[in-house]
Amino acid sequence: MGRRGFLRGAALATAVPLLPAWPAAHAHAKPVQAAGPALAEPFPLADVKLTDGLFAAKRALVLDHARGYDVDRLLQVFRANAGLPTLGAVAPGGWEGLDGEANGNLRGHYTGHFLTLLAQAHASTGEAVFTDRLRYMIGALTEVRDALRRDPVVLSTPGRFGRALEHVRGSYQYLDLPAGVLAGTTAVTLSAWVRPDHDASWTRVFDFGNDTTRYLFLATRTATGVPRFAITTGGPGQEQVVDGTAPLSPGTWSHLAVTLDGTAGTLYVNGVVAGRNPAMTLTPAALGPLAHHWIGRSHFPDPVFAGAFDQVDIFSRALSAAEIAHLQHTPSPGDLASYRLDETTGSTFADGSGRGLTATLRRTWGGPSHPGFLAAYPETQFITLESMTSGNYTVVWAPYYTAHKILRGLLDAYLTTKDTRALDLASGLCDWMHSRLAKLPKATLQRMWGIFSSGEFGGIVEAICDVHAHTGKPEHLALARLFDLDHLIDSCAAGTDVLTGLHANQHIPIFTGLLRLHDATGEQRYLDAARNFWPMVVPPRMYSIGGTSTGEFWREPGAIASTLSEVNAETCCAHNLLKLTRALFRREPAPKYADYYERTLYNQILGSKQDTPDPEKPRVTYFIGLAPGHVRDYTPKQGTTCCEGTGLESATKYQDSVYFRGDGDSALYVNLYSPSTLTWTAKGVTITQRTAFPVEQGTRLTIGGTAQFTLRLRVPAWCLDGFEVRVNNTVVTQPAVPGSYFDLTRTWQHGDTISVRLPFRFRTEATPDNPAVQSLFYGPVNLVARDPRKTFLRFSFHGKAALDGDLSDAFTPIPGKPLHFLAEGIEFAPFHEGTEDPAHVYFERHEPAIVFGGLDSGVANPVRANGFTLLDDLWSHAPFRSKADFVARVRSAARTWQLSAEDTAGVLATARAAY
């Protein structure tokens, strides 16, 4: 069933249906037949230059951000994970750091997005600043990978008495002391200079024990913020403790000491008694031999100490208060163990006690890493996923998703700079993934990939296939196939809709990868699955701006009005649907794909970027709230979410689908009317498109050079009449069918011009589950009502509709504000404007009476239980060829809706008088 038939059959109250070519989605649709080689190919970004216009203005904001953002902040989490100096940089925070959601278990993803941003920015502008930044980041990541392959080495920093040992936050490093360091002593003094760099609770200075039952520890900060010493042989419930009275100051050197003499414990901070427990009965001797003697690490799942240590000493007696005070300015080596920590190389530290108890620097997750591994967190995220049966993002948060972003960024960096280090990093990461995943049983892989959201892997299959195209390694292609999620692939290949309840963005990128796998393997089910999946989302799960998902998940097909909320249309979903749509267009250059691309690009994608410069944050939405009066949030979750990452990418490739070449370079598709210049090297021509679209309702293309080809101009599905083409000012007399291409075949001469007229019309689009809930369009532009009310606004438009269905008479242009209109006292504005005005994408149509051309018939507009009315039915047949055609349709509607003879007469009389 075509879109028009679908709209009528579902009783959608729309004056003019937008996309008559949309296929309907059914639970067991006939599988799509195999496609041959790609029929159309996009041009590289470098061959399509944006010129002044809406897209260039939006992009400029992101380019400025890309030029100025401190990339060492992005590299901080990678360097910290490898135990390298972080150059004083502060991680971005949010999802890209240790303080954000789930303790930053997704960190590293944003750096991958930024690499792609820089690569696309250079391709679009040619500016060296972007490639310079790419090479710097590639060099840093190469150093990170090398460091992960080695044992950790000392990171030396200025200390209290010379040099000191620094543990960068996120490095997971600690000092491991030999067994027997306490030597069964019945009294002890623990002494250390510490400079905590973070206020995390329960980070340890000392933790000597076997497990979480038998231990002693000295922590810099409890949950209440003060230092604590504890000793126990029976776990936390039997701890004997000494608490301090005030927090230590982060970033400042402090001296901590605790003495234990068998009857009392005393805690000192900077030489002053900070706490005392006179009823201590446990001593180190009571603990017996212990397995672990750690500095900076806990036996509990507490944070690893972040900061610096200097002059660590352990004494076999309880020092006096005077002796503790003396340590404030003069070090005195402990007789059990003493570490000056002034080494500047290596990973071991000499013991100054004379006992030869050399300390070793280690990582909590072991190490070194396996060859090729590169991430901003340890391999443990990947290892733990292999045994998980359900998701828990506070433990494991989509490590292969993060690997995808890094891999894609590295490959894009290589393609832009030709820096072979980037390809080596990408290839090595694929080698590492294959070495892990190829060893796992298929059942384990299927379980992993089905877990939300720990098993999410984004578009990694596409990226791996692209790496394989450069390396030719058979294990890389084998790796791509290890991500097959068979239930999803087989269901979609069979045309079975299993999407309800799935996490949308976890699954959309899978299908773009399947298309690349089909390219590489020829396996038919990959292609069938991707082609059948698309109409399961577009339009049945699509909001009018082009996006999909509610609270990140899919509901049942057609559930639109019933799902409007503050958390609709996750921006990543729109980004990835456009990537899939573009990939499908290569296989089948059908206008339906280009129509969807225009809808989503000109509305959700443009509108997701705020029209405000910001050197620190991308200012991109996460969710697009479609509930009435929603105000867009352009800085969600501290500014480093998945959607802000894809937002950076979207804003630097606006031009990627304006033009396609097809039929063996004998045809040029013009899919979008966007000011730009195409350099078609194979043909030796340029095509310059000059337009202010969508403010201007048309465009003008100028040919530079001479070549023969077919120019295929898209006739948008929304352009139902008036599409006109002139070549060198002469009208081309051939049919222009909405939702198709207008072909012009000739030998083009230098200076030839093609002028295209694209008349806009106002129209409404109704939701399938409530025809009274609608959105408004003017040509391709979604218009939103700006109003702070949190309930649906109600509008009546049918009474002012023209015979062709156009609603122009209902709207008054606002002078000086293009694409802004007033209707019933409310301002309507383009969704693509990135403002923080409260907006209504959807409103409620309220047409209580049958009114034609402003004339009220006095007859009530009958309505069905689902909200569909006689007027909805009538205007769904617009445009009408003539007044007689209109009156005939009114007569038919009166009969269908069983109006009385009197009401029918009144309605017909009004219809005849109205036009």
Side-chain angles (χ1 to χ4, degrees):
M1 184 185 299
R3 170 74 169 177
R4 182 181 292 271
F6 173 76
L7 294 179
R8 290 176 181 168
L12 299 183
T14 173
V16 179
L18 175 62
L19 294 175
W22 286 135
H26 297 290
H28 296 280
K30 182 179 180 180
V32 176
Q33 296 301 307
L39 300 177
E41 291 291 349
F43 289 88
L45 287 181
D47 291 351
V48 185
K49 300 297 184 184
L50 286 181
T51 52
D52 289 348
L54 176 59
F55 289 109
K58 288 270 190 180
R59 185 184 67 177
L61 298 170
V62 174
L63 292 178
D64 284 344
H65 176 79
R67 293 183 189 100
Y69 191 80
D70 181 5
V71 295
D72 282 322
R73 297 187 62 190
L74 300 170
L75 295 167
Q76 195 271 354
V77 290
F78 285 88
R79 287 168 166 154
N81 186 49
L84 294 174
T86 57
L87 310 183
V90 177
W95 288 7
E96 197 65 21
L98 286 165
D99 292 313
E101 196 168 357
N103 298 316
N105 279 349
L106 209 67
R107 61 191 181 278
H109 80 111
Y110 195 71
T111 301
H113 287 298
F114 209 88
L115 288 168
T116 296
L117 157 68
L118 293 173
Q120 293 179 172
H122 178 265
S124 295
T125 67
E127 292 181 33
V129 63
F130 301 121
T131 48
D132 290 345
R133 308 196 100 200
L134 280 172
R135 290 189 181 93
Y136 176 80
M137 295 180 73
I138 292 166
L141 292 173
T142 301
E143 292 174 359
V144 165
R145 188 181 68 174
D146 292 345
L148 288 169
R149 284 289 297 139
R150 302 189 302 263
D151 288 325
V153 296
V154 60
L155 188 58
S156 182
T157 187
R160 183 65 176 78
F161 299 107
R163 304 301 297 177
L165 168 65
E166 183 171 18
H167 288 337
V168 176
R169 188 160 182 258
S171 66
Y172 302 95
Q173 293 182 170
Y174 68 100
L175 271 183
D176 188 16
L177 309 187
V181 66
L182 294 178
T185 183
T186 57
V188 72
T189 297
L190 305 175
S191 169
W193 283 92
V194 296
R195 190 200 70 207
D197 288 344
H198 194 264
D199 59 2
S201 298
W202 300 113
T203 57
R204 302 295 203 259
V205 179
F206 299 95
D207 197 325
F208 299 165
N210 290 334
D211 46 35
T212 57
T213 300
R214 184 177 294 269
Y215 55 80
L216 65 79
F217 71 71
L218 177 60
T220 58
R221 182 183 179 91
T222 66
T224 58
V226 298
R228 169 177 288 183
F229 171 78
I231 185 170
T232 182
T233 57
Q238 297 181 29
E239 286 181 356
Q240 297 179 12
V241 306
V242 185
D243 280 338
T245 56
L248 303 184
S249 299
T252 300
W253 283 104
S254 298
H255 183 254
L256 279 181
V258 62
T259 63
L260 188 63
D261 61 11
T263 61
T266 305
L267 178 65
Y268 296 85
V269 176
N270 293 327
V272 178
V273 174
R276 183 172 174 80
N277 183 346
M280 304 284 281
T281 59
L282 293 175
T283 68
L287 299 179
L290 299 175
H292 307 126
H293 301 80
W294 294 335
I295 296 176
R297 179 182 181 182
S298 170
H299 282 86
F300 291 84
D302 297 317
V304 179
F305 178 87
F309 292 110
D310 196 1
Q311 197 60 48
V312 176
D313 294 287
I314 305 174
F315 300 85
S316 61
R317 60 188 179 86
L319 299 188
S320 67
E323 289 175 304
I324 296 293
H326 183 73
L327 295 178
Q328 304 308 296
H329 50 81
T330 305
S332 179
D335 61 317
L336 293 181
S338 179
Y339 304 99
R340 291 182 59 182
L341 303 176
D342 57 0
E343 287 87 348
T344 57
T345 60
S347 57
T348 58
F349 300 85
D351 172 24
S353 70
R355 299 178 68 203
L357 300 178
T358 301
T360 303
L361 187 63
R362 302 193 190 281
R363 298 184 178 105
T364 61
W365 50 272
S369 69
H370 294 92
F373 176 73
L374 177 64
Y377 44 65
E379 286 181 274
T380 49
Q381 282 254 348
F382 298 87
I383 296 168
T384 303
L385 173 63
E386 293 167 9
S387 60
M388 293 178 71
T389 57
S390 60
N392 183 347
Y393 80 142
T394 65
V395 177
V396 173
W397 191 2
Y400 286 96
Y401 173 93
T402 305
H404 161 239
K405 304 308 175 189
I406 297 168
L407 183 64
R408 180 78 260 171
L410 290 171
L411 184 58
D412 290 340
Y414 167 69
L415 295 174
T416 299
T417 64
K418 303 305 178 186
D419 189 328
T420 56
R421 295 176 300 172
L423 182 59
D424 182 62
L425 289 170
S427 178
L429 185 53
C430 289
D431 292 342
W432 174 82
M433 287 189 286
H434 183 262
S435 71
R436 286 215 67 84
L437 297 177
K439 296 180 176 67
L440 298 178
K442 184 175 181 179
T444 300
L445 294 173
Q446 295 299 307
R447 171 174 48 77
M448 286 165 56
W449 308 144
I451 296 174
F452 166 77
S453 62
S454 302
E456 182 175 358
F457 54 79
I460 200 167
V461 173
E462 178 191 15
I464 294 169
C465 288
D466 288 348
V467 171
H468 171 255
H470 290 276
T471 66
K473 290 185 176 182
E475 58 266 35
H476 290 171
L477 183 57
L479 169 64
R481 302 187 74 160
L482 293 175
F483 288 91
D484 282 3
L485 183 55
D486 288 337
H487 171 67
L488 179 71
I489 296 171
D490 292 340
S491 296
C492 289
T496 303
D497 187 335
V498 294
L499 304 186
T500 300
L502 294 183
H503 183 262
N505 198 52
Q506 182 165 345
H507 294 89
I508 296 169
I510 291 176
F511 294 94
T512 308
L514 296 183
L515 290 174
R516 288 290 288 112
L517 267 179
H518 176 264
D519 292 343
T521 68
E523 188 165 328
Q524 185 63 32
R525 72 173 186 139
Y526 293 143
L527 177 61
D528 291 347
R531 295 183 67 183
N532 290 339
F533 163 77
W534 192 84
M536 295 175 187
V537 179
V538 182
R541 291 180 171 92
M542 178 193 77
Y543 295 104
S544 59
I545 57 173
T548 187
S549 78
T550 298
E552 301 188 12
F553 289 83
W554 278 311
R555 303 292 179 86
E556 62 276 7
I560 300 299
S562 59
T563 63
L564 299 180
S565 70
E566 300 295 318
V567 290
N568 297 126
E570 182 188 355
T571 306
C572 272
C573 294
H575 170 88
N576 283 313
L577 269 176
L578 288 185
K579 290 188 70 173
L580 175 61
T581 301
R582 184 173 185 261
L584 286 167
F585 186 89
R586 288 183 62 242
R587 285 283 172 187
E588 178 192 356
K592 65 181 179 181
Y593 295 127
D595 282 338
Y596 173 76
Y597 205 98
E598 178 188 65
R599 172 193 287 262
T600 308
L601 180 64
Y602 272 87
N603 293 295
Q604 175 155 0
I605 294 299
L606 279 180
S608 68
K609 175 71 187 82
Q610 190 173 25
D611 300 329
T612 303
D614 191 324
E616 295 300 316
K617 293 183 174 63
R619 292 193 174 271
V620 175
T621 58
Y622 190 108
F623 293 117
I624 297 289
L626 298 176
H630 177 77
V631 176
R632 285 175 230 171
D633 180 3
Y634 294 99
T635 54
K637 301 176 184 288
Q638 300 184 51
T640 53
T641 66
C642 53
C643 293
E644 284 152 302
T646 54
L648 293 175
E649 295 184 28
S650 291
T652 45
K653 64 180 184 71
Y654 288 139
Q655 76 271 36
D656 74 345
S657 295
V658 176
Y659 308 100
F660 275 72
R661 52 189 175 84
D663 298 343
D665 267 2
S666 65
L668 178 68
Y669 292 87
V670 181
N671 284 335
L672 300 174
Y673 298 108
S674 175
S676 54
T677 297
L678 167 66
T679 300
W680 193 359
T681 304
K683 286 291 185 182
V685 297
T686 61
I687 293 89
T688 301
Q689 187 174 175
R690 295 181 176 87
T691 180
F693 191 92
V695 174
E696 179 183 357
Q697 298 180 25
T699 189
R700 180 182 176 91
L701 296 97
T702 303
I703 307 295
T706 300
Q708 182 177 15
F709 58 90
T710 298
L711 186 65
R712 291 181 172 158
L713 303 167
R714 184 174 64 92
V715 185
W718 48 261
C719 191
L720 294 182
D721 62 287
F723 185 90
E724 180 185 88
V725 177
R726 293 173 179 262
V727 175
N728 298 328
N729 291 322
T730 299
V731 174
V732 180
T733 56
Q734 67 185 53
V737 179
S740 71
Y741 283 94
F742 190 100
D743 286 3
L744 299 170
T745 303
R746 61 186 287 168
T747 299
W748 299 97
Q749 302 298 322
H750 183 78
D752 281 349
T753 61
I754 305 97
S755 300
V756 184
R757 179 173 172 266
L758 297 136
F760 290 7
R761 294 169 60 182
F762 288 93
R763 69 187 186 284
T764 59
E765 289 186 1
T767 58
D769 50 340
N770 185 348
V773 176
Q774 304 183 6
S775 55
L776 178 69
F777 280 81
Y778 185 53
V781 179
N782 174 241
L783 295 176
V784 300
R786 288 185 175 169
D787 190 280
R789 282 172 281 186
K790 294 295 185 179
T791 56
F792 279 120
L793 303 178
R794 305 179 86 185
F795 293 97
S796 301
F797 295 142
H798 279 322
K800 295 184 179 180
L803 282 179
D804 60 3
D806 187 28
L807 303 174
S808 296
D809 287 346
F811 297 91
T812 303
I814 299 177
K817 299 178 72 173
L819 301 177
H820 286 241
F821 304 90
L822 285 177
E824 300 181 20
I826 303 294
E827 180 178 4
F828 281 82
F831 182 93
H832 65 239
E833 291 184 352
T835 73
E836 294 178 298
D837 295 295
H840 296 244
V841 173
Y842 288 91
F843 53 86
E844 194 173 80
R845 283 290 287 277
H846 180 61
E847 312 277 359
I850 297 177
V851 180
F852 300 134
L855 299 180
D856 191 339
S857 69
V859 177
N861 181 26
V863 58
R864 292 177 180 156
N866 67 351
F868 188 61
T869 71
L870 180 151
L871 287 177
D872 295 328
D873 184 10
L874 172 68
W875 287 108
S876 69
H877 295 275
F880 300 106
R881 295 187 301 272
S882 64
K883 180 174 179 178
D885 182 37
F886 173 70
V887 172
R889 180 57 63 179
V890 171
R891 181 180 292 106
S892 174
R895 182 170 56 253
T896 300
W897 288 77
Q898 299 180 349
L899 296 186
S900 68
E902 181 182 357
D903 285 348
T904 297
V907 168
L908 286 172
T910 305
R912 294 187 186 99
Y915 299 104

